[in-house]
Amino acid sequence: MSERENDTLPTNPAAIDEATDACVAASDGSCSLHGKIIQFDEAQLRAHLDAKVTQSVEDTLNALLDAEADALCKAGRYERSAERADRRAGHYERQLHTKAGEVTLKVPKLRTLAFETQIIERYRRRESSVEEALVEMYLAGVSVRRVEDITEALWGTKVSASAVSELNQKIYAQIEAWRMKPIAGKHAYVYLDGIWLKRSWGGAVENVSVLVAIGVNEEGYREILGVAEGTKEDKESWRQFLRYLKDRGLHGVRLVVSDKCLGLVEALGEFFPESAWQRCVVHFYRNVWTAVPSGKMADVTAMLKAIHASEDLEAARKKAADVVAKLKTMKLGKAAEIVESGIEETLSYMAFPREHWKLLRTNNMLERVNKEIRRRTRVVGAFPDGSSALMLVGARLRYVAGSKWGQKRYLNMSLLTTAAIPNGSEASASVQGRDTTQEQTA
C-alpha cells in the first residue's frame, strides 16, 4: 500500500456497522478500508456491541410474547379468521434485568382471555441467572451496598439493597435445611470453637456467640458439622450445641480439639465421654504468656515449643518437668504453675498417628475459618438479632464447604486404623480439666 492515513471510526451506529462489514482484518490487528488504516475506539465499539446485544435480546423476547398472544387468540394480529378466540387490547410495558442489560418487555393484553406467558413469570423483574449472581456475590463476602454498585457496572442497572435482602431470604430456608441435615459417617477428629458477633437489642449493642463444629470424616476430608447460636460460650450453650450435633448423628469421635472454653470440657464428658480432649497449644501458650514479662517472652516460648517437639509422650512429660523447674529458677512462679497444671491437656494428640500431630495439636484450622467469617460479617456491623447472625455465618460456612476447602483431603485417615486408642488413664488425663477451674481465653 503506497499511502497510509489514520482515520477514526465514525461515531454513529450506522456508520460503525457499514465500516465493520466493509473492513478486512490486517495482520497487525487493524483494518484496511479503501486503502486507509482505521483505528477503532475500543470503548465506543464495546458500548455499541453491548447495545446491539441488549436490543437483540429485547426484540427476541418481545417476538416470543407476540407469538404466545397469537397462539392464545388462534390468529395473528389483524388477521381475519373464523377460528379467532380473542382480540388484542394493546400492551403494557415492564422492565426485566438480564445478563445482557435491562430490556423493556411489551406484554400483550387480550380483551377477554388472561394472558399467562411462559416466557417470564408474573411480577418477575430479574432473570434467574442474575438473581443467582446477586446471591453468590453476597455470600462471597460482598456487602449489600457494594452489590448495588457492581450490578450497575455489569448490567447498567442498579439493584436496590432491599431487593438483595429479599433474595437472601429465599436461601435462608435452604441454609436452615443444610444446618439441620443428618451427619453421615464417623468423624474421628472434631474441632470446636465459638465466634463473637455484635447484635442490636433494645437500642443497645450486645455480644452474641455463634458456635461452630468441623470434623474430619473417614476419607480424611473436612466437613462443617454444625453451626448454632449460643447466647454465651458457657456450659449450657455448649451442652445445647453438643446435643444438637449428637442428635443429628455425630458419632465415632476419638479426639476433640478446642480451646479451654468455659463449660465446654465438662459438656464433652456428658455427651462424648469416650473421646479424648486436646487443648489448643497456641491458646495454652497465650495463657502462659500472661504471666511472663516481655523481656523473657522469647526464651519461654522456645522452652514451651521444645515440649511439643518431643519425640513421644514420655519425652514430652520429662521435658515439661524440666521447663517447670527452669521457670521457677527464673522467678516465674505463676508461669510455672500454669505449665505444670495444664501441660497434660495439650499432649493428648501424641496418642494418635505421628503424621497427624501437626494438625491435631492446635485449633488453627477452625480459627482460619472464623477469620473468614469475621471478614464477611465486618461489613454488616451489628446484626438486628441472633438469628440474622446465625444465617449469615451459616451461609458463609456453606459457601466455604462447597469450595476447594472441602474438596481437598486434609488427613490420611487410613493411618488411624492402626493407631492405638488412648487408654483409660490417658483419656482421663486428657480431660482432667473437667474437674478443675475453667478459664476463658481470648
Side-chain angles (χ1 to χ4, degrees):
M1 196 177 296
S2 58
E3 180 181 3
R4 294 196 173 195
E5 300 178 13
N6 290 333
D7 292 341
T8 58
L9 195 65
T11 57
N12 64 81
I16 292 176
D17 289 338
E18 182 180 354
T20 303
D21 294 338
C23 85
V24 179
S27 59
D28 61 356
S30 61
C31 289
S32 62
L33 179 64
H34 306 308
K36 298 181 180 181
I37 300 300
I38 299 176
Q39 295 179 336
F40 288 95
D41 185 332
E42 184 178 354
Q44 192 174 25
L45 179 60
R46 182 180 291 111
H48 172 67
L49 292 176
D50 288 345
K52 282 284 188 181
V53 171
T54 303
Q55 186 62 48
S56 177
V57 171
E58 182 176 303
D59 293 343
T60 300
L61 290 175
N62 283 322
L64 291 172
L65 291 171
D66 282 336
E68 278 194 312
D70 291 344
L72 284 173
C73 293
K74 297 183 178 179
R77 183 181 293 183
Y78 311 122
E79 179 184 354
R80 295 180 179 275
S81 171
E83 297 181 354
R84 177 180 288 278
D86 204 350
R87 295 182 180 279
R88 298 283 190 101
H91 68 269
Y92 66 91
E93 294 185 355
R94 57 181 290 190
Q95 306 303 119
L96 176 68
H97 298 300
T98 73
K99 295 175 73 174
E102 186 179 54
V103 299
T104 301
L105 299 181
K106 297 179 179 180
V107 183
K109 294 192 294 185
L110 305 181
R111 292 190 181 278
T112 59
L113 297 177
F115 181 74
E116 294 288 347
T117 175
Q118 302 299 313
I119 304 301
I120 188 71
E121 296 176 20
R122 179 179 287 188
Y123 309 123
R124 195 175 187 88
R125 292 292 181 266
R126 285 173 295 277
E127 185 187 8
S128 60
S129 59
V130 173
E131 292 188 347
E132 292 169 1
L134 295 177
V135 172
E136 283 297 312
M137 280 190 286
Y138 181 71
L139 296 184
V142 182
S143 68
V144 172
R145 299 296 176 184
R146 181 61 178 152
V147 168
E148 295 182 53
D149 300 331
I150 293 175
T151 55
E152 185 172 27
L154 289 177
W155 301 304
T157 57
K158 180 178 289 190
V159 177
S160 67
S162 61
V164 178
S165 296
E166 289 173 6
L167 288 174
N168 292 330
Q169 291 297 326
K170 295 180 181 179
I171 68 168
Y172 282 172
Q174 301 174 19
I175 295 170
E176 183 63 16
W178 169 80
R179 200 178 68 84
M180 299 302 295
K181 70 177 182 179
I183 298 174
K186 296 181 179 180
H187 294 79
Y189 302 141
V190 174
Y191 299 78
L192 301 176
D193 200 6
I195 181 171
W196 289 98
L197 303 174
K198 301 289 185 181
R199 72 170 177 181
S200 299
W201 184 260
V205 177
E206 299 179 350
N207 288 328
V208 58
S209 176
V210 177
L211 309 180
V212 181
I214 294 177
V216 180
N217 63 24
E218 295 171 285
E219 287 74 39
Y221 293 94
R222 292 171 291 186
E223 295 181 5
I224 306 294
L225 297 179
V227 54
E229 180 184 356
T231 307
K232 299 178 180 179
E233 282 191 69
D234 56 7
K235 182 176 180 180
E236 186 56 34
S237 294
W238 282 114
R239 287 183 73 256
Q240 293 177 8
F241 185 61
L242 294 174
R243 183 183 292 111
Y244 150 75
L245 294 175
K246 191 151 191 172
D247 289 347
R248 289 172 46 236
L250 178 60
H251 69 286
V253 180
R254 293 173 61 175
L255 182 69
V256 176
V257 183
S258 74
D259 181 20
K260 196 172 184 178
C261 301
L262 184 65
L264 169 59
V265 187
E266 293 98 325
L268 280 174
E270 180 179 347
F271 291 94
F272 299 98
E274 71 286 354
S275 67
W277 173 60
Q278 167 65 33
R279 182 177 180 182
C280 176
V281 168
V282 174
H283 285 86
F284 174 70
Y285 289 177
R286 291 174 183 170
N287 212 29
V288 176
W289 292 337
T290 60
V292 178
S294 58
K296 298 181 180 180
M297 193 77 72
D299 293 336
V300 173
T301 301
M303 292 160 60
L304 294 175
K305 288 184 176 181
I307 299 174
H308 298 98
S310 301
E311 63 273 18
D312 55 36
L313 183 58
E314 183 180 353
R317 286 170 174 164
K318 185 178 183 304
K319 184 63 179 177
D322 295 339
V323 169
V324 170
K326 188 170 183 178
L327 287 173
K328 290 179 179 178
T329 62
M330 295 169 66
K331 297 183 179 181
L332 298 174
K334 181 61 176 177
E337 182 182 337
I338 295 173
V339 173
E340 188 172 20
S341 63
I343 192 62
E344 197 69 33
E345 298 170 342
T346 69
L347 301 178
S348 301
Y349 70 94
M350 289 188 171
F352 295 86
R354 186 180 300 274
E355 293 81 358
H356 295 179
W357 286 7
K358 184 178 180 180
L359 299 177
L360 293 181
R361 62 190 179 197
T362 72
N363 210 14
N364 287 351
M365 182 260 288
L366 184 47
E367 289 288 348
R368 282 191 289 270
V369 174
N370 285 345
K371 183 178 180 181
E372 174 62 20
I373 293 174
R374 290 189 185 94
R375 184 195 68 80
R376 177 62 191 92
T377 56
R378 191 178 297 118
V379 299
V380 177
F383 290 89
D385 51 53
S387 178
S388 299
L390 176 60
M391 285 297 103
L392 182 54
V393 172
R396 190 59 194 165
L397 289 174
R398 183 168 175 247
Y399 182 89
V400 169
S403 67
K404 291 182 179 179
W405 181 91
Q407 299 168 8
K408 181 179 179 181
R409 191 184 298 276
Y410 189 63
L411 289 170
N412 179 6
M413 297 302 285
S414 63
L415 299 172
L416 187 60
T417 59
T418 58
I421 299 177
N423 58 44
S425 61
E426 290 173 331
S428 62
S430 69
V431 294
Q432 65 177 356
R434 293 173 181 166
D435 300 320
T436 60
T437 303
Q438 302 295 303
E439 66 256 10
Q440 187 174 14
T441 57

